[in-house]
Amino acid sequence: MVLLIGGCASVSVKDEQQVANAGGETRPDAIYVIPFSTDGEFNVDREGAELAEFKQNLQEMMVVALETRFPKHLVPTRTAPSMMDVPSGNYWVVGGTFTLVNQGSRALRATIGFGAGGTKVETDVYVYDIASKSPTPFRVFRTTGGSGAQPGAVVGLNPVGAALSAVSGAAKGLTDDVVRTSRMITADLSEYMYERNWIPESRKLEAKR
């Protein structure tokens, strides 16, 4: 029963802060996405050069996920290697930090599921308004969540279903977490823009809190 109720696959937003006099008062012409820092805690089965490559891949994955989602729900989106590479203009910059990355156990997710061996990704997100000339982000929030709710081979209802569940459980993990995280970051900003009548309701996403 613990296995049946203990797992979930979701990401939520928390600890939202709006900073006064730091911008965010005008709809941006575009949003620049920069790579998230990987200075947080990484509990993964890699070290040295493999760990460095893993972190870089995670950064690239987040940039691509946000670059894909933002134009659909917010405004045109571009990428930059760092804040220093963003040109002057009516732009926002979205970046952050991977504060916690737990790889979990792919074997347990595949064979048992329902949260066993689940992954977890937490981020701090910072949104800057370049036009405001402020060195302080005008919006700050956190995301937290993970994967592991898919049923595994042990609890499959039939051999075919069990095999599919095993493959699915093995493939899911941190990639899903980053995709879900990108959706919650987009949702938070879409709510912000919708409240100010900058985007129509059809483009608004609901952030989970």
Side-chain angles (χ1 to χ4, degrees), residues 31-36 55-81 94-95 98 175-183 185-186:
I31 294 177
Y32 276 83
V33 177
I34 61 176
F36 278 41
K55 290 181 175 181
Q56 182 179 349
N57 289 339
L58 203 65
Q59 288 176 312
E60 293 174 355
M61 195 185 306
M62 179 66 82
V63 167
V64 170
L66 293 176
E67 185 184 21
T68 301
R69 287 189 183 277
F70 279 1
K72 296 178 182 178
H73 299 280
L74 306 175
V75 296
T77 307
R78 304 165 189 171
T79 62
V94 173
F98 286 101
T175 299
D176 282 353
D177 293 346
V178 170
V179 170
R180 294 187 185 101
T181 298
S182 74
R183 187 180 191 281
I185 293 172
T186 306

Side-chain angles (χ1 to χ4, degrees), residues 3 5 9 18 29 61 79 97 101 107-108 110 112 123 126 132 136 143 161 164 179 181 187 194 197:
L3 289 175
I5 65 177
Q18 191 68 25
D29 295 330
M61 195 185 306
T79 62
T97 299
V101 176
L108 287 177
I112 298 177
T123 68
Y126 310 103
S132 74
T136 304
T143 67
L164 290 175
V179 170
T181 298
Y194 177 73
N197 298 313

